[in-house]
Amino acid sequence: PPVLVPLSIAEAVGESAEIFAARVAFAIDVEIEGNSAIKVHANRTDLQRALLNLMWNAFEAMDGIDNPHLLLRWGEAESGPWIEVVDVGPGLPQGHLSDLTEPFKSSKGADGKVRGLGLHSVARVMRRHNGRLLGANRKTGSGAILRMEFNLASEITLEYCSRNSRDDADK
């Protein structure tokens, strides 16, 4: 299992957005919004790879769309922190997101590329982080929202275990 440590969502999202923007040669407008104080227990590399997968999927979905725009936002709900990747593409196909998280299942054409591993990888990362990946279409027009939810209960447990381990070491 990955080593989960307290991690600033703002830092993880910001670094991922910089990597993404450099890869797509700034061909897309990326907006970032969220509370910089929110942290999550996560593995930095896994979280950044998951974010890059979601951003890349959104970028490909917006191919040929005028004024492609990507919104990366995060916040906290009663159940725990979340991160969303919101695009203005055609949205998710009718059906269940769980179908798209199965390996090699894709809503995009085959066109000679390996498809269907991005959302599968993100879903696996979220399971390892005791979280989940959710997807929905935007209600106000075209586009999709992919949401990574982190379980607050597991973060409290991790924090409690870490604190008790330190306390035991002090004895």
Side-chain angles (χ1 to χ4, degrees):
V3 176
L4 307 180
V5 297
L7 179 64
S8 164
I9 292 177
E11 287 178 23
V13 169
E15 291 168 1
S16 299
E18 284 180 28
I19 294 167
F20 175 75
R23 296 270 325 243
V24 299
F26 301 93
I28 182 172
D29 180 34
V30 179
E31 182 181 351
I32 299 173
E33 63 181 48
N35 180 340
S36 62
I38 299 175
K39 292 189 177 195
V40 64
H41 278 84
N43 177 282
R44 179 182 297 271
T45 303
D46 281 352
L47 180 56
Q48 287 178 335
R49 283 184 185 155
L51 285 165
L52 286 165
N53 267 317
L54 293 179
M55 287 185 276
W56 196 258
N57 279 352
F59 178 71
E60 287 183 344
M62 293 185 286
D63 187 35
I65 291 178
D66 292 335
N67 302 316
H69 180 83
L70 190 60
L71 171 61
L72 307 173
R73 63 184 175 197
W74 64 93
E76 255 179 323
E78 203 171 292
S79 59
W82 53 266
I83 303 171
E84 289 180 340
V85 176
V86 183
D87 69 50
V88 294
L92 298 170
Q94 294 297 333
H96 303 284
L97 177 64
S98 62
D99 295 341
L100 298 178
T101 61
E102 290 181 32
F104 303 108
K105 288 206 176 180
S106 175
S107 63
K108 299 173 185 143
D111 66 9
K113 295 181 182 178
V114 175
R115 298 267 185 204
L117 293 176
L119 292 180
H120 171 70
S121 297
V122 175
R124 286 187 62 206
V125 165
M126 292 312 298
R127 282 193 298 275
R128 286 195 309 263
H129 285 75
N130 297 313
R132 63 186 180 162
L133 174 65
L134 302 172
N137 288 322
R138 295 177 61 191
K139 293 178 182 166
T140 58
S142 63
I145 302 170
L146 286 153
R147 182 177 180 131
M148 299 170 18
E149 290 186 346
F150 298 85
N151 188 335
L152 184 60
S154 66
E155 291 183 24
I156 291 171
T157 302
L158 285 169
E159 190 172 306
Y160 175 77
C161 291
S162 296
R163 188 172 48 243
N164 282 346
S165 295
R166 285 192 303 267
D167 292 344
D168 290 342
D170 293 338
K171 291 181 183 176

